[in-house]
Amino acid sequence: MRFDYDAGSGCFAMTGEFTFADHPIFQGVLTQIGDGRDRSIVFDVSGLSFIDSAGLGMLILAREEARKLGSTIRLRGPRGQVKRILAVTKFDALFPVEA
Amino acid sequence: MPVARAEQAGCARWDGMSELSLAEALRPPAVFCAEAGAGGKVPAPRRNAGHSLGLVVTARSAFMYPIAKVFVAALAQRLPLCPGQKDQIHIALHEAVGNAVLHGNLGVGSDPFDSPAGLAAMRHMIDSRLASDCLGLSGIRLDAGWTATFLTIAVRDSGRGFQPTHDQRPSGETSCSGRGLFILHALCDRVRHFASGTGVMLAFVL
């Protein structure tokens, strides 16, 4: 998985496959989240082609870290396998999801 | 050619160097493939001809490469799978292989990583165990068999096994871990644990 962060809009644009092997990369996302308070953060997952249970767990971890700082996270643009796994695990009830 | 193709019909060896070389090794008419150096308690797959495909890889390679994706692509070269089925089987097999590597061969506990520090500690533990030849080279075995209407894939690890619970849901809706088995049960038509939890059989109606 790779991500580009736009500090102005608070948007993380994620691309590739997001799996357990991406722990080190995701630490960078957590660091960016920890740098601000009371923000509206977007995870643009439209460029993700695959996510596994560990990737979902890291999304939850990011949500909890954001919540401690008064920030919120919403998901944008899930497609294909990512959209399917979000529905199977009912993640669409845990995160606001934009088309 | 980067892959040492079988000197014996249907048997192939994978050099462990890349996703592409694994795809090449699994190309028909291969019936089974073993990664060079894979060891541990996992025996070689059955070499029965016909509607089957077997693979043995090291824990290190199973963590590093998208083994499930390549294996399902190889199955799709042998039996008709629609894109939805390929996705379904790929997701489920990916979770099964991930469980086999982390909780089986590497013996990583299923405690949730509930903080950035916990995530980093878990990653450190995984890296150090993968670096050990004893665990990193231990084997993961996949055996697929199919008929016109049914596909089964068994995933075996070299670990100590575990006792699956009846409730495979995550421990809490906001838990950071524990969704792997839930996903398996949601996407497979049948899931059966065997060999004291060192094996899991995934079944799909085609």
Side-chain angles (χ1 to χ4, degrees):
Chain A
M1 188 269 283
R2 299 173 62 181
F3 75 89
D4 291 312
Y5 177 56
D6 180 347
S9 63
C11 180
F12 293 85
M14 300 175 170
T15 55
E17 300 188 351
F18 187 13
T19 70
F20 198 86
D22 293 309
H23 278 172
I25 293 170
F26 198 71
Q27 292 282 357
V29 174
L30 295 175
T31 299
Q32 295 285 0
I33 290 173
D35 282 346
R37 301 187 65 88
D38 302 320
R39 293 186 302 166
S40 178
I41 297 166
V42 175
F43 283 172
D44 184 340
V45 296
S46 60
L48 281 184
S49 58
F50 186 86
I51 188 168
D52 68 2
S53 60
L56 295 175
M58 286 186 262
L59 292 182
I60 289 287
L61 180 54
R63 190 186 78 152
E64 294 308 301
E65 292 301 299
R67 187 182 57 79
K68 292 174 189 172
L69 297 168
S71 299
T72 59
I73 296 178
R74 61 187 193 278
L75 306 181
R76 177 179 295 162
R79 298 181 297 112
Q81 183 272 348
V82 176
K83 187 174 184 177
R84 181 174 188 177
I85 207 72
L86 292 178
V88 165
T89 55
K90 299 182 171 53
F91 253 54
D92 41 7
L94 299 180
F95 286 87
V97 180
E98 302 173 353
Chain B
M1 188 190 313
V3 177
R5 292 286 297 180
E7 61 280 356
Q8 186 180 344
C11 308
R13 284 186 81 74
W14 176 40
D15 56 13
M17 296 302 288
S18 73
E19 176 181 343
L20 285 177
S21 65
L22 177 58
E24 171 66 18
L26 288 173
R27 195 164 47 83
V31 174
F32 92 97
C33 172
E35 180 181 356
K41 296 187 298 184
V42 175
R46 292 166 295 156
R47 300 185 185 191
N48 56 322
H51 301 304
S52 67
L53 181 64
L55 173 66
V56 175
V57 297
T58 64
R60 207 175 277 165
S61 291
F63 187 81
M64 186 183 309
Y65 298 114
I67 298 295
K69 181 169 75 173
V70 178
F71 192 77
V72 173
L75 290 178
Q77 293 173 330
R78 291 162 171 82
L79 66 161
L81 298 175
C82 68
Q85 284 176 322
K86 271 184 72 176
D87 272 355
Q88 175 185 356
I89 298 164
H90 171 203
I91 298 166
L93 184 59
H94 176 91
E95 295 294 339
V97 171
N99 283 342
V101 173
L102 296 178
H103 306 311
N105 289 31
L106 300 188
V108 175
S110 55
D111 299 332
F113 51 83
D114 54 2
S115 68
L119 185 65
M122 180 177 286
R123 178 67 196 206
H124 177 72
M125 177 191 296
I126 291 166
D127 285 345
S128 64
R129 294 186 181 183
L130 282 173
S132 119
D133 281 350
C134 175
L135 296 177
L137 298 180
S138 60
I140 302 283
R141 169 178 161 181
L142 281 62
D143 281 303
W146 59 90
T147 67
T149 57
F150 211 62
L151 167 69
T152 61
I153 307 175
V155 180
R156 294 173 171 86
D157 64 53
S158 300
R160 297 178 177 177
F162 81 112
Q163 186 62 48
T165 62
H166 291 295
D167 184 0
Q168 305 296 0
R169 290 173 299 178
S171 54
E173 70 167 15
T174 59
S175 171
C176 295
S177 60
R179 287 182 176 78
L181 286 178
F182 174 80
I183 290 171
L184 280 190
H185 283 264
L187 294 181
C188 298
D189 292 295
R190 188 178 172 198
V191 176
R192 181 173 66 84
H193 297 276
F194 62 94
S196 303
T198 61
V200 62
M201 176 77 80
L202 316 179
F204 306 89
V205 175
L206 299 178

